[in-house]
Every structure is written in C-alpha cells, then in structure tokens.
Amino acid sequence: MFGIGMPELLLILAVALIVLGPKKLPEIARSLGRGLAEFRRTTDDVKREMQAAADDLDARPESDKADTEPSGEGAPANTISPAGDPTRKE
C-alpha cells in the first residue's frame, strides 16, 4: 500500500489524532471515504463510456469507417472542396 509499512501508518494516525482531535478525526475520515468512493464511481463511469465508444467504433462496418478517415490532404475522404470540383465553372 504505497510503500507505507505498519509503523509509518501508526505514526501518521497518531499525528492526525493529535492535530485533529478525537472528535473531528472520524468525521474527516468519513468524508474522505465518501469523496474517494465518489471519485472511484466517476472514474469507472468514464472508463465505461470510453470503452463503449471504442466498442461502437470497432463494431461499425468498414464502409462507414472509410467515410470518416482523413485523406492525404487533410480533408475527409467523402468531401470535395469547391476549388477541386471539376464540374464547377468559374
């Protein structure tokens, strides 16, 4: 656990008890636990959404994937710029 052994953990808890006091320490530990649990839930949700988006991209047919891949000139493959349109007369 973070390279902290039992003696170091006991020292940290003793200092926290002295600084915060016996009445305030449980409240702070409880709020810290709630905050960590909320952070874990949020990161799990973000991971799930990212995985779902990646799975969605992998599940698309090859024809759809080709439409969104950029061409060598930096423009999407399915668009033609007005200057490059051979049927346009100026």
Side-chain angles (χ1 to χ4, degrees):
M1 182 172 90
F2 304 112
I4 297 176
M6 187 57 89
E8 292 90 359
L9 187 60
L10 289 175
L11 180 64
I12 292 170
L13 289 174
V15 170
L17 185 61
I18 292 169
V19 171
L20 301 173
K23 292 182 182 178
K24 196 75 169 166
L25 190 60
E27 293 174 25
I28 292 174
R30 196 174 306 118
S31 64
L32 182 63
R34 287 181 187 145
L36 288 174
E38 181 66 28
F39 179 73
R40 185 175 295 138
R41 276 193 298 270
T42 302
T43 56
D44 288 343
D45 288 343
V46 169
K47 286 179 187 177
R48 243 189 322 272
E49 288 179 20
M50 296 294 284
Q51 186 62 43
D55 291 344
D56 186 42
L57 284 175
D58 290 341
R60 290 186 351 187
E62 287 297 320
S63 61
D64 287 348
K65 290 180 183 177
D67 289 343
T68 59
E69 292 177 2
S71 66
E73 298 173 0
N78 62 349
T79 61
I80 298 175
S81 65
D85 188 3
T87 61
R88 183 174 178 206
K89 296 182 180 178
E90 295 181 12

